[in-house]
Amino acid sequence: MQNLGMRILLVDDEPAMRELLRVTLESSEVTVDEAASAREAESAIARARPDVIVLDLRMPGMDGAELCRRLKIAPETRAIPVVMLTGADVAEPAGADALLLKPFSPLELLAVVERLTQNGTRPPTMRPRAVGRRDEEELLLYARDLRHMLAVERQQRALLERSYLETVSALATALEWKDTPTHEHSQRVVRYALELLAAIDPGFVDRDRGIEYGFLLHDVGKIGIADEILRKPGPLNPMERARMQQHTLLGEQMLAGVALLQGEGIRVVRSHHERWDGRGYPDRLRADEAPLGARVFAVADTLDAMTSDRPYRRAAGWDAAREEIFAESGRQFDPVVVEAFHDCEPRLLAAYRAAA
């Protein structure tokens, strides 16, 4: 699980089952709370709101179905995902976001929890596997072994993601050698964009890792733009400008089949030249019609463009770039992003000086 600080509430009247679930889900990144009844669960939720609830259907007193209905009715808890556990094939999961039938593999439970918390999607009901029923001790041992396997898998996933990022960074650098002498532009602008995004929504990148790849590959469509346009030392004429503006659509088409960029990443590639006042391209989106990642990137890209040498002009200073960004708040740029620039300017300036 990648969501740092996640809190899961386990609700089951059987101590052995709670132990199984806790061992399966608990890690240094996840806090696991337990409740032996619906009443205890309500108290636990009042003390600390969980990110997801794993709830047994059959319990003495208030059963899991009634507790789930109450949670989904209350405005303060209705958005919490609920995974219902049951030994019977029930048609109606009482409003739960997922239904897992016993006997189940801990790996199945883990997959359901991750899909609910990371992607915000509702997975289909999980059906029983064609295996014999294990006793509680055997399941517990299996779950402990699974924790070790998951730790290894997380390490391998992290290495793979790092390899992806290094590959994409190399591609972005290769693009810069084609697009004038603006080398290291992608690395700088990604640093600026990530700082701004973190100031607005600290958990955004954890929810959508593809956005960093979108930042890096924002100009990949320039592969399809003629060198005489990219390297022209003066202003572009209307025909050349129209051709240059096609790079956002070309980039989207080129990356449409890349799974890593689906979501915010591909939207940044298409929309990073939109403007708050609706005068941008390619779709003339106005205000928050443009995705947040693209609105953030527009500020980061302008900051780097103004403070870097280009074929048609020398770089401006940091102060000039800052004043231009502030002046364009509510016109070219989202005022919220400009405010974030103000809040995290020391970190942006440190990144600028480090790359100088």
Side-chain angles (χ1 to χ4, degrees):
M1 292 186 181
Q2 301 301 312
N3 300 48
L4 299 179
M6 182 190 298
R7 182 178 293 273
I8 297 175
L9 175 61
L10 307 177
V11 188
D12 197 301
D13 61 308
E14 297 181 9
M17 181 57 70
R18 292 202 306 275
E19 174 69 7
L20 165 64
L21 300 176
R22 184 187 60 76
V23 172
T24 298
L25 297 171
E26 189 177 57
S27 74
S28 60
E29 301 170 350
V30 178
T31 300
V32 178
D33 296 327
E34 299 180 28
S37 68
R39 298 300 182 190
E40 286 186 19
E42 290 178 325
S43 298
I45 294 169
R47 290 194 303 271
R49 177 187 173 91
D51 297 293
V52 64
I53 299 171
V54 178
L55 172 62
D56 189 39
L57 178 63
R58 304 299 181 190
M59 293 187 297
M62 186 193 305
D63 65 10
E66 179 59 24
L67 175 60
C68 185
R69 291 190 189 97
R70 294 177 62 157
L71 293 173
K72 292 302 181 181
I73 290 173
E76 62 271 19
T77 57
R78 66 175 51 148
I80 302 175
V82 175
V83 181
M84 185 79 74
L85 308 178
T86 178
D89 192 353
V90 296
E92 173 54 54
D97 299 275
L99 180 67
L100 194 61
L101 303 182
K102 300 176 183 178
F104 60 87
S105 160
L107 188 58
E108 290 174 332
L109 173 60
L110 188 66
V112 170
V113 170
E114 287 197 326
R115 289 174 66 183
L116 282 172
T117 54
Q118 291 188 354
N119 299 330
T121 57
R122 177 173 177 159
T125 296
M126 304 295 289
R127 296 295 169 188
R129 299 162 62 91
V131 297
R133 184 180 294 273
R134 302 176 177 90
D135 60 29
E136 292 174 349
E137 182 179 359
E138 185 178 358
L139 280 173
L140 186 57
L141 290 173
Y142 170 65
R144 286 173 175 162
D145 288 342
L146 178 62
R147 281 190 69 188
H148 173 71
M149 293 169 59
L150 289 172
V152 173
E153 189 273 337
R154 289 189 192 102
Q155 293 174 352
Q156 292 175 338
R157 187 189 306 172
L159 288 173
L160 187 59
E161 288 182 355
R162 188 155 56 246
S163 296
Y164 286 153
L165 190 58
E166 289 171 354
T167 301
V168 171
S169 297
L171 176 58
T173 299
L175 289 172
E176 289 164 9
W177 284 95
K178 172 182 171 64
D179 179 18
T180 74
T182 56
H183 312 312
E184 299 182 353
H185 161 70
S186 289
Q187 296 295 335
R188 289 193 305 269
V189 81
V190 168
R191 175 72 181 276
Y192 295 154
L194 290 176
E195 291 285 2
L196 289 167
L197 191 57
I200 298 169
D201 185 347
F204 194 103
V205 175
D206 287 333
R207 295 193 303 273
D208 192 333
R209 296 294 302 174
I211 195 165
E212 186 169 356
Y213 297 100
F215 289 160
L216 274 168
L217 294 176
H218 64 283
D219 275 344
V220 69
K222 288 184 177 180
I223 289 176
I225 306 300
D227 285 351
E228 55 265 29
I229 295 178
L230 290 176
R231 296 176 179 271
K232 186 174 180 179
L236 302 179
N237 63 41
M239 184 176 298
E240 292 167 336
R241 186 177 303 106
R243 181 57 184 162
M244 175 68 85
Q245 291 179 356
Q246 290 294 307
H247 81 273
T248 59
L249 301 178
L250 291 172
E252 181 188 41
Q253 293 169 9
M254 293 170 61
L255 300 173
V258 180
L260 280 171
L261 281 105
Q262 299 314 301
E264 281 295 307
I266 198 75
R267 298 178 74 194
V268 167
V269 174
R270 181 183 180 99
S271 301
H272 65 277
H273 282 292
E274 299 289 354
R275 292 172 52 108
W276 185 255
D277 59 14
R279 297 170 57 199
Y281 64 88
D283 301 307
R284 294 191 172 275
L285 301 177
R286 179 182 295 274
D288 58 5
E289 292 175 348
L292 175 60
R295 285 179 272 138
V296 165
F297 192 83
V299 173
D301 198 27
T302 296
L303 174 63
D304 189 67
M306 290 191 66
T307 55
S308 303
D309 288 331
R310 293 298 167 92
Y312 46 87
R313 59 153 176 80
R314 298 291 296 171
W318 180 271
D319 291 344
R322 178 187 59 219
E323 293 308 313
E324 177 69 14
I325 289 170
F326 287 171
E328 288 297 315
S329 178
R331 292 189 294 186
Q332 182 175 355
F333 304 126
D334 180 349
V336 171
V337 182
V338 175
E339 183 65 26
F341 178 99
H342 179 272
D343 293 341
C344 66
E345 184 177 359
R347 295 192 296 277
L348 297 173
L349 183 57
Y352 165 73
R353 288 172 173 166

